[in-house]
């Protein structure tokens, strides 16, 4: 019997075998011609995945938080006014991070499991004289999905730079960076991009690059400074050797493979597959008699679901039981409700079989935990969506 378990947390996720074998290639020099080509290919493909044909991609060794840090440190100078639109844990992180660089942060926090209404955002933008706003596409702590398009439009209307934390969304949720006028879309490798943890990725608009070029003060973070990294990205894309800090050679080769797989599927097909899998999970969860956040399907993520445990069920025991059934799920993250809910990641390479196996493991753990429901109801509801 295979001993492996199905990893269904909101990152890291299950990775495609071709990506893992690209990762396992012999490590080459970071200035070897084949590596320069892989790095250049990955940069070019990022523009296609982000739907940002004229913007500047960056590939860095690091995590999603480094991508947040890099956007913040390069675009913020002391005293700049920033609007942070938060739908959970990661919005709060962005506010704290930006304050370190001297930003004057106004924090707009949604109700738990909901978005901040657009009218409230517009009211702030009208009066606030902001330089920049940040928002989280999918907050992984609440599974709330914010529609980036109207916020991108508002940012343009009020001449504010926009930064989208797409760590739990890029290559899963629909993003059309340039069409929607979003200046920075950032992510990490371990989620819907489909590469093991260790890369911070972002694509930056020409407008944001110009704001950075016209800074009055040096970037307060030496490692993240685009002065150090822009020439490296440009050199790799032009096919030339270059060095500032050693790139994560094997991860970049794996990224090249994963971006090829993503583009071979096609962005629209990929967005649609994520929607379908999410709907299957949502219907299954409802059929099992569980509630989830967000309360409204309209703002529910395509990349993860966040159901509440049935009342009286101990979360730790439930997750252990699901694990025994062969599936790994995640506990809650938002401090206010941490012990009350769990999270299922459904992004990247997820397919029908993963979905049904996960629901089956959840059903078995619910049954063993004494939750009353009709066994098979979740599977049936999911199958109805999937067929
Ligand atoms: N933003 C969001 C929405 C995330 O889900 C995460 C990671 N779960 C991060 C930022 C931070 O990314 P990392 O853990 O890779 O630093």
């Amino acid at each position: 019997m295979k001993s492996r378990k199905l990893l269904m947390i909101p990152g890291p996720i299950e990775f495609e075998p071709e990506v893992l074998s690209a990762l396992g290639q012999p490590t080459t020099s970071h200035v070897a011609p084949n590596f320069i080509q892989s790095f250049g290919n990955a940069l070019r493909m990022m523009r296609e995945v982000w739907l940002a044909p004229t913007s500047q991609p960056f590939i860095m060794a690091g995590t999603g938080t480094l991508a947040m840090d890099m956007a913040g440190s390069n675009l913020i100078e002391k005293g700049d006014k920033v609007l942070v639109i938060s739908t959970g844990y990661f919005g709060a992180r962005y506010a704290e991070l930006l304050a370190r660089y001297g930003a004057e942060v106004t924090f707009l926090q949604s109700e738990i499991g909901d978005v901040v209404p657009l009218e409230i955002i517009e009211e702030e933008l009208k009066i606030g004289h902001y330089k920049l706003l940040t928002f989280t596409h999918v907050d992984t702590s609440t599974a709330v999905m914010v529609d980036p398009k109207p916020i991108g439009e508002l940012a343009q209307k009020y001449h504010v730079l926009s930064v989208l934390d797409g760590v739990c969304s890029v290559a899963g949720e629909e993003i059309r960076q340039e069409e929607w006028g979003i200046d920075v879309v950032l992510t990490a490798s371990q989620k819907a991009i489909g590469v093991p943890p260790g890369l911070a990725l972002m694509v930056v608009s020409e407008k944001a690059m110009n704001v950075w070029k016209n800074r009055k003060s040096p970037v307060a973070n030496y490692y993240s400074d685009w002065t150090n990294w822009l020439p490296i990205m440009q050199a790799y894309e032009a096919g030339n050797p270059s060095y500032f800090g050693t790139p994560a050679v094997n991860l970049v080769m794996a990224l090249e493979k994963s971006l090829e797989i993503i583009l071979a599927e096609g962005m629209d097909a990929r967005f649609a597959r994520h929607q379908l899998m999410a709907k299957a999970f949502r219907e299954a969860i409802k059929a099992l008699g569980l509630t989830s956040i967000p309360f409204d399907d309209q703002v529910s993520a395509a990349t993860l679901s966040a159901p509440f445990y049935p009342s009286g069920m101990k979360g730790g025991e439930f997750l252990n039981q699901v694990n025994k059934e062969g599936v790994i799920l995640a506990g809650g993250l938002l401090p206010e409700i941490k012990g009350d809910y769990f999270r299922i990641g459904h992004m990247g390479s997820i397919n029908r079989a993963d979905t049904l196996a996960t629901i089956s493991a959840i059903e078995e753990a619910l049954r063993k935990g004494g939750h009353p429901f009709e066994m098979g109801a979740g599977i049936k509801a999911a199958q109805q969506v999937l067929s």
Side-chain angles (χ1 to χ4, degrees):
M1 189 173 98
K2 287 181 192 162
S3 60
R4 70 174 175 81
K5 302 204 174 199
L6 193 56
L7 183 60
M8 296 294 290
I9 65 174
I13 60 162
E14 291 275 322
F15 301 115
E16 295 280 3
E18 299 99 301
V19 171
L20 295 176
S21 70
L23 189 72
Q25 285 177 61
T27 304
T28 184
S29 159
H30 58 289
V31 290
N34 65 326
F35 179 67
I36 295 173
Q37 199 182 353
S38 289
F39 205 122
N41 288 343
L43 290 167
R44 281 183 284 276
M45 286 190 283
M46 278 174 69
R47 288 200 188 87
E48 292 180 56
V49 169
W50 268 245
L51 296 163
T54 67
S55 300
Q56 178 60 52
F58 288 87
I59 301 173
M60 305 288 303
T63 74
T65 307
L66 177 75
M68 296 166 77
D69 205 33
M70 190 180 232
S73 61
N74 280 277
L75 294 175
I76 291 301
E77 296 191 60
K78 205 168 179 347
D80 284 342
K81 296 191 71 183
V82 177
L83 183 65
V84 172
I85 302 160
S86 176
T87 40
Y89 185 91
F90 291 100
R93 174 174 293 190
Y94 225 156
E96 193 184 340
L97 184 160
L98 293 164
R100 290 281 178 96
Y101 294 111
E104 281 180 29
V105 176
T106 302
F107 192 60
L108 281 183
Q109 174 70 62
S110 69
E111 301 284 325
I112 290 177
D114 205 350
V115 295
V116 178
L118 281 175
E119 311 78 72
I120 294 184
I121 298 172
E122 180 152 20
E123 275 312 303
E124 263 308 323
L125 291 174
K126 253 185 215 160
I127 55 168
H129 303 291
Y130 292 103
K131 175 180 182 179
L132 183 140
L133 66 79
T134 72
F135 61 122
T136 317
H137 196 175
V138 170
D139 199 296
T140 322
S141 68
T142 54
V144 169
M145 191 278 299
V146 173
D147 182 359
K149 190 166 179 247
I151 297 187
E153 281 164 5
L154 281 179
Q156 289 185 15
K157 181 170 169 193
Y158 293 96
H159 307 291
V160 174
L161 289 174
S162 52
V163 175
L164 178 64
D165 172 351
V167 173
C168 198
S169 68
V170 172
E173 302 278 356
E174 182 177 7
I175 302 178
R176 301 181 186 278
Q177 182 174 355
E178 283 189 14
E179 191 186 317
W180 294 352
I182 298 164
D183 291 298
V184 179
V185 177
L186 60 88
T187 192
S189 52
Q190 73 271 18
K191 304 216 189 201
I193 284 285
V195 176
L199 291 177
L201 306 168
M202 72 179 78
V203 177
V204 184
S205 72
E206 197 183 342
K207 186 167 75 176
M209 291 308 293
N210 284 332
V211 168
W212 161 74
K213 278 180 196 144
N214 292 317
R215 287 176 67 96
K216 293 185 185 61
S217 57
V219 172
N221 181 324
Y222 177 74
Y223 183 74
S224 286
D225 191 344
W226 286 335
T227 317
N228 296 323
W229 290 108
L230 179 61
I232 308 301
M233 300 304 136
Q234 288 169 332
Y236 274 122
E237 220 179 329
N240 298 323
S242 186
Y243 167 74
F244 172 66
T246 310
V249 171
N250 289 60
L251 283 168
V252 173
M253 295 189 298
L255 175 66
E256 180 193 23
K257 177 50 71 187
S258 194
L259 293 171
E260 275 169 20
I261 293 171
I262 291 168
L263 289 171
E265 180 176 15
M267 297 316 297
D268 288 335
R270 193 168 175 93
F271 300 147
R273 176 169 56 83
H274 280 78
Q275 289 295 340
L276 186 71
M277 297 300 158
K279 186 156 197 283
F281 273 105
R282 278 201 304 274
E283 294 308 319
I285 291 160
K286 283 179 204 160
L288 297 175
L290 303 184
T291 54
S292 350
I293 41 166
F295 306 106
D296 179 356
D297 287 354
Q298 293 295 322
V299 298
S300 289
T303 49
L304 84 151
S305 297
F308 288 101
Y309 300 115
S311 64
M313 188 168 291
K314 290 201 172 65
E317 284 172 19
F318 168 79
L319 292 176
N320 276 341
Q321 191 57 49
V322 174
N323 190 305
K324 281 191 194 140
E325 305 299 332
V327 177
I328 303 168
L329 300 179
L333 180 62
L334 192 73
E336 295 90 322
I337 52 169
K338 197 173 161 49
D340 302 338
Y341 73 113
F342 61 103
R343 294 173 303 147
I344 311 162
H346 34 78
M347 63 189 116
S349 63
I350 178 161
N351 63 20
R352 185 188 155 90
D354 298 336
T355 302
L356 295 175
T358 303
I359 295 165
S360 157
I362 291 172
E363 287 202 7
E364 189 58 17
L366 287 174
R367 187 182 68 78
K368 289 189 172 135
H371 175 62
F373 69 103
E374 188 193 328
M375 197 68 189
I379 294 284
K380 191 171 160 201
Q383 271 172 334
Q384 267 161 4
V385 174
L386 295 173
S387 61

